[in-house]
Amino acid sequence: MLELRHLRTLTALRETGSVSLAAKRVHLTQSALSHQIKALQDYYQLPLIQRQGHAIQLTDAGKRLVRLAEKVIMEVQAAERDLARLSQRTTGNLRIALECHTCFDWLMPIMDTFREHWPEVELDLVSGFHADPIKLLKQGEADIVIGSENKLQRGLVHHPLFRFEILAVLAPGHELGKKRVLDVVDFTNITLITYPVPEERIDLISKVLMPAGIPWQRRTAELTVAILQLVASRRGIAALPNWGIKSYVDHDYIIARRIGVNGLWSDLFVTARKEIASLPYFQDFLTTSRNQCFATLEGIIPLE
């Protein structure tokens, strides 16, 4: 009765806490995923999940199967890597350019895991800020770009990673901190502290302020910690991914507020040249990235 697809479904339910989001993760409809779970529950005569409104939690029986899934799926992936080594090219380079520089925190552990999986592959980061990281791919100066770009371009393949919310970051005690949700007018003439990238790549500016005709001032810093220090010292406010600031919010170093009633959301993709995207070690990098991100980052949701 128990199949690998069931284990992947249960893992997705654990990581997303939602039937609809888990269904997207494993490329099923909600009804198909619900049918899977019902069949398992009927077979074992035990509930595997408990519903709490739109959210779900695993029962003890569900958690036991997830512990099994963690072992089995890891072994399956290891076997697939071994088979790829026997049949395909397994040496090369993966040079990664980042558009989203808050990605460093979660990317470094993924790179460590990847190096254990593929010691034959040279994995490296393309240093510095890049006005047009996709151009690096076309020029052969990078093999992977992690960023928001997903426009169709010849010779490039975009793989979705996840969707995440961008929050306004304020100093504790900031006047705007009295509000739970910030409106566009709240940003009028505010000093925004951002990375030194073009304005069209900053979602708060391109998606919120510019369309509304809201004036702003801007100050830049290259490091996330420097941006947060400037915010904490009341030099301005920032807009950063929810997962990139969580530890600082938890320690009351800064506070965060939603931007707009529905929030300001952005999508993250892994882009590669077609000849790279077909290689087994790139596919494993993609799988490892998705698995670790959904297992460790809070508040992200799957992309189609």
Side-chain angles (χ1 to χ4, degrees):
M1 178 61 193
L2 193 61
E3 300 178 15
L4 188 59
R5 62 193 177 99
H6 299 135
L7 298 179
R8 286 181 169 136
T9 293
L10 288 165
T11 300
L13 285 168
R14 191 274 307 274
E15 291 175 353
T16 63
S18 162
V19 171
S20 61
L21 296 180
K24 289 183 178 180
R25 286 268 335 256
V26 295
H27 308 291
L28 292 175
T29 63
Q30 278 188 242
S31 60
L33 185 143
S34 296
H35 180 75
Q36 264 194 30
I37 297 301
K38 184 178 185 304
L40 283 174
Q41 292 180 146
D42 290 344
Y43 182 81
Y44 291 112
Q45 294 294 296
L46 283 170
L48 300 179
I49 62 173
Q50 294 176 332
R51 296 182 183 270
Q52 298 180 337
H54 294 296
I56 62 98
Q57 284 189 342
L58 293 175
T59 63
D60 288 342
K63 292 176 182 177
R64 177 62 186 89
L65 290 181
V66 165
R67 291 198 298 273
L68 172 65
E70 291 172 345
K71 296 178 182 179
V72 171
I73 292 174
M74 185 180 299
E75 285 298 314
V76 169
Q77 291 173 345
E80 289 175 337
R81 287 192 294 272
D82 291 339
L83 292 175
R85 288 187 176 92
L86 292 172
S87 65
Q88 302 178 53
R89 173 183 163 193
T90 59
T91 60
N93 298 283
L94 282 182
R95 295 162 297 170
I96 305 171
L98 294 178
E99 177 187 280
C100 172
H101 288 269
T102 44
C103 295
F104 276 112
D105 288 345
W106 58 258
L107 180 61
M108 300 310 289
I110 289 171
M111 293 176 68
D112 291 339
T113 300
F114 179 86
R115 289 188 178 104
E116 293 176 6
H117 292 172
W118 299 92
E120 315 94 325
V121 177
E122 186 67 29
L123 188 65
D124 202 1
L125 290 171
V126 180
S127 63
F129 284 80
H130 309 285
D132 185 3
I134 294 297
K135 188 177 180 181
L136 297 178
L137 290 181
K138 297 178 179 179
Q139 295 175 337
E141 297 176 18
D143 302 300
I144 298 175
V145 167
I146 298 177
S148 59
E149 178 66 75
N150 69 331
K151 295 178 182 177
L152 290 176
Q153 298 187 53
R154 179 174 299 188
L156 300 182
V157 180
H158 305 287
H159 294 274
L161 267 184
F162 53 79
R163 175 168 292 166
F164 62 93
E165 186 172 6
I166 298 170
L167 299 175
V169 184
L170 315 168
H174 194 289
E175 183 176 0
L176 291 176
K178 298 175 183 177
K179 304 182 66 172
R180 297 185 62 183
V181 176
L182 301 189
D183 300 315
V184 62
V185 294
D186 292 324
F187 294 94
T188 303
N189 292 322
I190 205 87
T191 297
L192 297 179
I193 304 170
T194 75
Y195 297 109
V197 298
E199 292 180 349
E200 59 268 20
R201 282 175 49 197
I202 300 172
D203 289 308
L204 177 59
I205 293 176
S206 63
K207 296 180 180 179
V208 178
L209 302 186
M210 291 183 68
I214 299 296
W216 72 90
Q217 300 175 32
R218 187 180 173 200
R219 178 173 179 174
T220 64
E222 292 193 357
L223 301 177
T224 302
V225 65
I227 290 176
L228 295 176
Q229 287 174 343
L230 289 170
V231 168
S233 60
R234 296 179 175 271
R235 306 295 173 84
I237 68 174
L240 295 171
N242 51 357
W243 40 264
I245 59 174
K246 183 180 184 303
S247 62
Y248 297 93
V249 173
D250 290 345
H251 288 87
D252 299 321
Y253 188 68
I254 44 97
I255 59 176
R257 295 293 181 265
R258 170 164 276 192
I259 301 170
V261 175
N262 297 318
L264 176 61
W265 294 82
S266 186
D267 300 336
L268 206 59
F269 297 85
V270 175
T271 301
R273 299 191 307 277
K274 282 188 177 180
E275 62 269 23
I276 295 293
S278 62
L279 295 174
Y281 54 80
F282 170 80
Q283 292 296 324
D284 190 64
F285 175 84
L286 191 61
T287 298
T288 301
S289 297
R290 286 173 175 159
N291 289 346
Q292 291 201 19
C293 285
F294 279 100
T296 59
L297 301 181
E298 294 185 13
I300 64 174
I301 60 178
L303 282 172
E304 295 292 346

